[in-house]
Amino acid sequence: MPAAERARYIQTLREFPDRLEAVVLPLSDAQLDQRVAESEWSPRQIVHHLADSHMSANFRFRLPLDEDNPVVPTYDQEAWSRHADYAMPLGPSLLIIRGLHQRFVALLESLTEEQWRHPVRHPEHGQLDVEDIARRYAGHCDNHIQQMNAVGAKFGW
Ligand code: NI
């Protein structure tokens, strides 16, 4: 994969805290709890999910740098979203995301060609490498911004 692709993933991760805050900080508490369907998360739940998911990303980036083809931990994201902390104000999760993403950028910018290729196994997605992890989380950032914009489009904010 050309270095330009990796630079794009890093840039997406760098910009994400600003993009996310631009979408959610103007919202009222009522807007943060709107859902397009019963089965869909509200913007508030999405922000808390992003904090949990990207804490998990930290393991997925780091374990393969120092361990031989580690199996990364997984979790039930729907079950996690039903716990009380997913109803909290956004502040703590926005801080987690901002701090984590600064760490991701510093870490990924330091990687050698060889380190980008370090293998890591995901119990559901199979054999991956560090670059695959970066691609997946850059996509995760974009997908959830789109998901929140869809809530805004439905409710007119
Ligand atoms: Ni997600």
Side-chain angles (χ1 to χ4, degrees):
M1 184 66 66
E5 289 295 302
R6 293 176 186 161
R8 193 164 58 75
Y9 306 146
I10 293 171
Q11 186 62 13
T12 297
L13 294 168
R14 178 187 286 112
E15 292 172 351
F16 184 63
D18 284 342
R19 287 174 69 202
L20 178 64
E21 290 182 10
V23 174
V24 299
L25 287 182
L27 300 182
S28 67
D29 267 340
Q31 289 169 326
L32 286 171
D33 291 323
Q34 288 174 327
R35 306 171 190 223
V36 295
E38 257 319 295
S39 58
E40 294 283 328
W41 282 336
S42 66
R44 185 189 308 279
Q45 289 172 303
I46 294 168
V47 170
H48 295 311
H49 159 72
L50 284 161
D52 279 332
S53 170
H54 294 196
M55 284 192 268
S56 156
N58 191 47
F59 275 87
R60 294 171 188 193
F61 283 131
R62 308 188 81 84
L63 291 180
L65 297 180
D66 300 300
E67 297 179 19
D68 180 21
N69 201 18
V71 178
V72 292
T74 59
Y75 60 98
D76 181 340
Q77 62 181 17
E78 293 297 332
W80 283 31
S81 75
R82 290 192 288 271
H83 288 289
D85 55 342
Y86 274 65
M88 284 176 67
L90 303 188
S93 286
L94 292 174
L95 279 173
I96 289 168
I97 291 164
R98 194 163 275 285
L100 272 174
H101 279 243
Q102 287 182 26
R103 296 279 304 272
F104 291 161
V105 169
L107 182 70
L108 295 176
E109 284 186 332
S110 79
L111 296 185
T112 64
E113 178 69 29
E114 189 261 342
Q115 286 174 313
W116 280 105
R117 299 264 78 87
H118 277 209
V120 54
R121 277 194 66 78
H122 186 289
E124 289 148 32
H125 303 131
Q127 191 62 58
L128 306 171
D129 63 17
V130 173
E131 182 168 322
D132 293 321
I133 303 292
R135 180 185 311 109
R136 295 183 76 91
Y137 281 98
H140 193 241
C141 293
D142 290 336
N143 290 343
H144 280 299
I145 292 282
Q146 286 168 16
Q147 186 185 12
M148 280 188 284
N149 286 337
V151 181
K154 168 157 178 163
F155 292 101
W157 40 264

